[in-house]
């Protein structure tokens, strides 16, 4: 995206408000937040000899959009998987809404109100869009093996869920597609469906793994609006993304991961001017004509 | 060549007890594969423990027939748990490998020398079905329309097996049109997505494996009652593959798919056999001995499967639109 895209990013106009949300928080790695919804310490995960994630301390402020960025292989998705119970940590503990999540499996984490999406969209392709939504509704009475036979018991709840699903589908402009197979949707529509579906769970925090990947620019726009709308309704958003314009535009707070560690944290403006971040993205020998020798000396440490 | 005779025999097979038994087992397989996406290549293992559940209970332990049938159900459920606990947390292919291996291991265990006091070893078990035919309420005689007819005992078994089929279909339909079934289908599409929405995929897969396995076990028990004697070696892996062929022919993930598949398949198989046999007896087909017909049948099934997958991958009553959806 070019520089003019900043004008159309909805969050950009609100940078003032966004900055307020994180007022008084020091832009340094591991900084404590005034009202953290998620707190993680000493999260470590290695694959063979490679340490994929080694996060000393990380907090996510409630009611904000926090972006998790970093170069390829920085461990963003691995950290996502660890926090949501889709992978096991080697060490570390983390709490969501002050409840320990260590060792909880993925479905239990989701039931706590921390719902994730996936980098490679996981639409349930041979099910209708509406069924995709209904599946996600929490605490369904007809969900148990024996409860399933007691249709009169769950009929009313099913109707209520259907109503809520239709409201969400309308909001994401998928209501006309409700009876289509999810597999017939375009890539962008699947991203929308996945986001809508995660909201069916009624989460207090959504974790979006590259929500904009492979989505055309027009739809990026609408996705961004949905994400900011979510925050404005009080849902905390943590998302992984590569597109810098997008991140700078809508994030209240940015966490930069490189080689598994948090190397920087801060408001978009702090990150934009952070040398370590630039180094991590572009390598240490960028633009400065004589930067090579100095950086090489540094690089050995 | 008597075409009417061939037709009669084929219809008798297509609606007879054996086809009904295959329908019951295929309904179980449909729950596993069609709805949940579990690759069970050992449905015959469930049939084996089901058949021996009733046979061993009645002969070895002198228990009444109803307890034997209960034992069949319990054995199938235990087998499902034993298969599921180690494999259902792993990728789908592990279940496939485990089921095909365990079904074959079970057959070898049941026929082993050391198992003879209980299972009868290679000789199997017999005369355990008297209790079943003793309570046959249908008066002796021959029943049917035209040339298609069944004895009173056959009819009694047909009533029971088709009754079980009706119950299994009712249970399956009720489940699959409930929120439980929605989760099950979600697991077939993408297990991780379902987990990320707060559903315990493992528990659902286990329930599905047990339910489908119990239907397989009941089918096995019905085989035992039908033959009134069983040996381990009739539970060969090809039984499972016949079931798969029948399910795919009918249409997986459809309520009536596993009913239509076995019925059509048994009709065609019998018609094919009978046709070849009468041709062979008339000496029209060169190089064909009567003893080779059985082998040709396998070739026929293989050819039918290939044609099916090329031209009609959704089966007879499957939804082509659903098949063609981009699964990526």
């Amino acid at each position: 995206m070019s520089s003019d895209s900043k004008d159309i990013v909805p969050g950009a106009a609100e940078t003032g408000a966004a900055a307020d949300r994180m007022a008084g928080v020091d832009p340094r790695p591991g900084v404590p937040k005034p009202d953290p919804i998620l707190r993680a310490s000493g999260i470590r995960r290695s694959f063979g000899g490679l340490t994929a994630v080694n996060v000393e301390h990380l907090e996510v402020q409630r009611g904000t959009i926090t972006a998790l960025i970093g170069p390829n292989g920085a461990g963003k998705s691995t950290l996502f998987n660890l926090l949501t119970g889709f992978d096991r940590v080697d060490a570390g503990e983390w709490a969501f809404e002050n409840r320990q999540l260590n060792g909880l499996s993925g479905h239990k984490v989701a039931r706590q109100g921390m719902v994730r999406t996936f980098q490679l969209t996981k639409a349930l392709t041979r099910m209708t869009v509406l069924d995709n939504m209904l599946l996600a509704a929490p605490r369904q009475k007809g969900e148990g093996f024996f409860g399933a036979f007691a249709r009169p018991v769950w009929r009313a709840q099913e109707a209520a869920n259907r109503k809520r699903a239709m409201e969400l589908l309308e909001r994401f402009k998928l209501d006309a597609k409700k009876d289509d197979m999810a597999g017939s949707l375009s890539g962008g529509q699947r991203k929308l469906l996945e986001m809508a579906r995660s909201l069916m769970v009624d989460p207090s925090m959504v974790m979006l793994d590259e929500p904009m990947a492979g989505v055309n620019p027009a739809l990026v726009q609408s996705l961004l609006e949905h994400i900011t709308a979510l925050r404005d309704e009080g849902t905390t958003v943590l998302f992984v993304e590569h597109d810098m314009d997008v991140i700078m535009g809508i994030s209240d707070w940015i966490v930069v991961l490189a080689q598994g560690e948090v190397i920087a944290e801060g408001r978009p403006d702090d990150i934009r001017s952070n040398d370590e971040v630039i180094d991590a993205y572009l390598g240490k020998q960028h633009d400065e004509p004589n930067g090579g020798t100095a950086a090489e000396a540094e690089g050995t440490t | 060549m008597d075409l009417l005779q061939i037709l009669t025999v084929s219809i008798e097979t297509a609606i007879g007890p054996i086809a009904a038994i295959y329908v019951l087992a295929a309904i179980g397989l449909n729950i596993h594969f069609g709805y949940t996406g579990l690759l069970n290549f050992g449905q015959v293992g469930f049939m084996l423990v089901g058949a021996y559940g009733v046979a061993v209970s009645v002969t070895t332990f002198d228990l009444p027939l109803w307890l034997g049938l209960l034992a069949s159900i319990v054995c199938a459920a235990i087998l499902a748990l034993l298969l599921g606990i180690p494999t259902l947390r792993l990728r789908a292919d592990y279940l496939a490998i485990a089921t095909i291996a365990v079904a074959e291991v079970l057959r070898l265990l049941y026929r082993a020398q050391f198992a003879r006091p209980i299972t009868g070893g290679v000789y199997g078990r017999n005369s355990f079905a008297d209790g079943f035919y003793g309570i046959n309420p249908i008066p002796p005689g021959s029943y049917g329309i035209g040339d298609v007819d069944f004895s009173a005992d056959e009819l009694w078994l047909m009533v029971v097996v088709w009754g079980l089929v009706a119950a299994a279909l009712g249970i399956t339909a009720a489940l699959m049109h409930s929120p439980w079934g929605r989760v099950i289908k979600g697991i077939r599409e993408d297990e991780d997505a379902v987990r990320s929405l707060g559903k315990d995929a493992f528990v659902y897969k286990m329930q599905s494996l047990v339910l489908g396995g119990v239907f397989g076990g009941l089918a096995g028990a019905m085989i035992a009652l039908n033959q009134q004697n069983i040996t381990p070696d009739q539970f060969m892996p090809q039984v499972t593959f016949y079931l798969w062929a029948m399910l795919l022919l009918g249409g997986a993930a459809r309520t009536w798919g596993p009913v239509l598949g076995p019925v059509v398949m048994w009709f065609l198989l019998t018609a094919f056999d009978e046709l070849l046999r009468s041709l062979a007896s008339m000496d029209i087909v060169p190089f064909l001995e009567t003893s080779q017909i059985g082998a040709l049948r396998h070739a026929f099934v293989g050819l039918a499967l290939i044609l099916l997958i090329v031209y009609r991958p959704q089966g007879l009553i499957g939804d082509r639109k659903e098949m063609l959806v981009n699964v990526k």
Side-chain angles (χ1 to χ4, degrees):
Chain A
M1 264 195 217
S2 55
S3 61
D4 66 350
S5 65
K6 244 176 250 150
D7 302 326
I8 55 162
V9 171
E14 300 170 34
T15 25
D20 286 345
R21 284 191 184 84
M22 302 301 291
V25 182
D26 224 10
R28 59 179 168 84
V31 66
K33 311 287 180 327
D35 181 18
I37 189 168
L38 177 72
R39 243 188 332 224
S41 312
I43 306 283
R44 258 213 328 276
R45 175 75 165 108
S46 35
F47 299 105
L50 176 85
T51 304
V53 168
N54 184 11
V55 171
E56 238 168 71
H57 191 79
L58 179 65
E59 294 187 357
V60 176
Q61 168 75 359
R62 187 188 311 275
T64 60
I65 298 177
T66 303
L68 192 59
I69 66 170
N72 287 324
K76 304 179 299 280
S77 286
T78 309
L79 181 60
F80 249 52
N81 287 342
L82 293 171
L83 293 177
T84 52
F86 278 76
D87 193 358
R88 280 175 195 278
V89 292
D90 296 333
E93 51 184 39
W94 65 106
F96 177 72
E97 307 254 43
N98 292 321
R99 276 191 301 262
Q100 289 281 318
L101 293 187
N102 303 25
L104 281 194
S105 47
H107 67 275
K108 287 188 182 145
V109 171
R111 282 184 203 166
Q112 302 280 329
M114 187 162 120
V115 176
R116 68 167 302 176
T117 67
F118 293 87
Q119 186 175 350
L120 299 170
T121 325
K122 293 187 184 297
L124 305 170
T125 47
R126 284 180 296 169
M127 290 169 74
T128 64
V129 168
L130 185 60
D131 272 348
N132 263 267
M133 297 292 290
L134 290 172
L135 170 75
R139 294 177 295 278
Q140 294 183 51
K141 289 173 189 156
E143 228 170 42
F145 183 81
F146 296 105
F149 292 103
R151 186 178 288 261
V153 174
W154 51 260
R155 188 181 282 142
Q157 191 191 30
E158 179 84 352
N161 284 339
R162 192 174 288 258
K163 189 162 163 283
R164 204 159 74 82
M166 283 313 295
E167 282 165 12
L168 278 170
L169 284 178
E170 253 166 64
R171 173 170 159 188
F172 285 84
K173 300 202 171 52
L174 288 169
D175 48 328
K177 303 241 170 217
K178 73 180 169 76
D179 294 323
D180 290 10
M181 292 285 160
S184 70
L185 299 181
S186 72
Q189 285 170 328
R190 289 186 200 195
K191 291 273 182 199
L192 285 172
L193 173 61
E194 206 182 16
M195 204 184 288
R197 195 176 62 192
S198 69
L199 295 184
M200 256 329 258
V201 186
D202 227 349
S204 41
M205 173 158 148
V206 287
M207 301 179 62
L208 310 171
D209 198 349
E210 300 201 18
M212 261 58 96
V215 174
N216 76 57
L219 213 50
V220 164
Q221 204 38 53
S222 111
L223 272 165
L224 288 177
E225 280 161 25
H226 288 303
I227 293 175
T228 37
L230 270 182
R231 177 204 46 205
D232 296 341
E233 287 162 16
T235 310
T236 310
V237 180
L238 177 66
F239 77 116
V240 169
E241 193 46 70
H242 279 296
D243 189 325
M244 273 300 171
D245 287 326
V246 164
I247 292 161
M248 294 298 169
I250 70 163
S251 309
D252 300 313
W253 194 257
I254 297 177
V255 177
V256 187
L257 221 58
Q259 289 167 348
E261 295 179 28
V262 177
I263 60 162
E265 269 192 60
R267 294 171 198 81
D269 287 338
D270 304 325
I271 297 301
R272 210 175 270 136
S273 54
N274 186 313
D275 285 338
E276 268 192 84
V277 176
I278 300 168
D279 286 346
Y281 266 89
L282 301 174
K284 297 218 175 221
Q285 304 182 20
H286 58 87
D287 13 305
E288 295 147 87
N290 58 351
T293 46
E296 257 162 27
E298 257 177 63
T300 53
T301 56
Chain B
M1 189 167 62
D2 186 353
L3 279 177
L4 187 67
Q5 166 71 13
I6 293 175
L7 188 68
T8 312
V9 175
S10 303
I11 291 175
E12 276 174 6
T13 316
I15 61 171
I18 295 177
I21 287 165
Y22 271 79
V23 168
L24 191 56
I27 291 172
L29 195 59
N30 193 31
I31 292 171
H32 290 160
F33 171 71
Y35 293 110
T36 324
L38 298 174
L39 294 173
N40 172 10
F41 286 121
Q43 186 70 340
V44 71
F46 290 101
M47 297 165 81
L48 176 109
V49 296
Y52 273 91
V54 65
V56 168
S57 302
V58 173
T59 53
T60 313
F61 299 112
D62 266 337
L63 296 171
L65 184 78
W66 67 269
L67 263 179
L69 289 173
L70 195 66
S72 297
I73 293 174
V74 170
C75 286
I78 289 174
L79 176 60
L81 291 173
L82 290 180
L83 275 168
I85 288 168
T87 57
L88 285 183
R89 289 186 202 279
L90 305 174
R91 266 195 347 249
D93 21 358
Y94 289 91
L95 179 71
I97 297 164
T99 47
I100 195 170
V102 166
E104 193 62 358
V105 167
L106 278 174
R107 179 177 72 83
L108 295 172
L109 275 180
Y110 275 63
R111 81 194 292 279
Q113 183 68 30
F114 65 81
R116 188 177 283 184
I118 298 169
T119 65
V122 284
Y123 303 109
R125 284 286 176 225
N126 55 39
S127 59
F128 44 77
D130 299 344
F132 176 75
Y133 292 103
I135 54 169
N136 183 359
I138 302 165
S142 174
Y143 298 87
I145 304 159
D147 287 336
V148 179
D149 66 343
F150 297 97
S151 73
D153 279 353
E154 277 177 320
L155 192 64
W156 169 226
L157 186 67
M158 280 168 68
V159 167
V160 171
V161 184
W162 282 115
L164 283 172
V165 165
L169 282 181
I171 289 172
T172 311
L175 281 172
M176 293 310 160
H177 291 102
S178 77
W180 186 86
R182 202 158 49 212
V183 178
I184 284 288
K185 286 180 237 171
I187 289 170
R188 173 189 70 194
E189 298 304 313
D190 196 313
E191 194 183 322
D192 277 342
V194 171
R195 287 172 62 214
S196 79
L197 298 169
K199 319 290 175 196
D200 190 349
F202 175 75
V203 168
Y204 283 92
K205 289 202 286 186
M206 188 58 97
Q207 289 169 343
S208 161
L209 192 63
V210 170
L211 180 67
V214 164
F215 289 159
L218 278 172
M222 294 301 120
I223 288 179
L225 294 182
N226 181 40
Q227 296 175 176
Q228 311 195 29
N229 72 75
I230 47 165
T231 59
D233 289 339
Q234 65 184 103
F235 297 95
M236 298 290 273
Q238 56 258 43
V239 175
T240 303
F241 295 111
Y242 271 112
L243 283 171
W244 272 87
M246 289 167 180
L247 177 62
L248 296 180
L249 172 69
R254 285 279 168 283
T255 307
W256 293 98
V259 181
L260 197 61
V263 168
V264 171
M265 184 82 111
W266 275 113
F267 180 86
L268 291 177
L269 278 178
T270 315
F272 183 78
D273 275 6
E274 294 291 318
L275 201 65
L276 277 186
R277 192 162 291 137
S278 60
L279 286 177
S281 66
M282 288 157 70
D283 279 330
I284 317 179
V285 191
F287 314 121
L288 182 70
E289 309 283 335
T290 326
S291 60
Q292 294 164 332
I293 289 172
L296 264 176
R297 168 199 270 212
H298 287 296
F300 171 73
V301 172
L303 184 68
L305 261 184
I306 291 170
L307 292 176
L308 185 69
I309 284 163
V310 171
Y311 293 105
R312 210 175 159 80
Q314 74 273 34
L316 293 174
I317 56 169
D319 183 348
R320 189 167 179 82
K321 207 175 76 192
E322 206 172 284
M323 280 300 298
L324 294 177
V325 155
N326 179 11
V327 181
K328 282 213 178 109

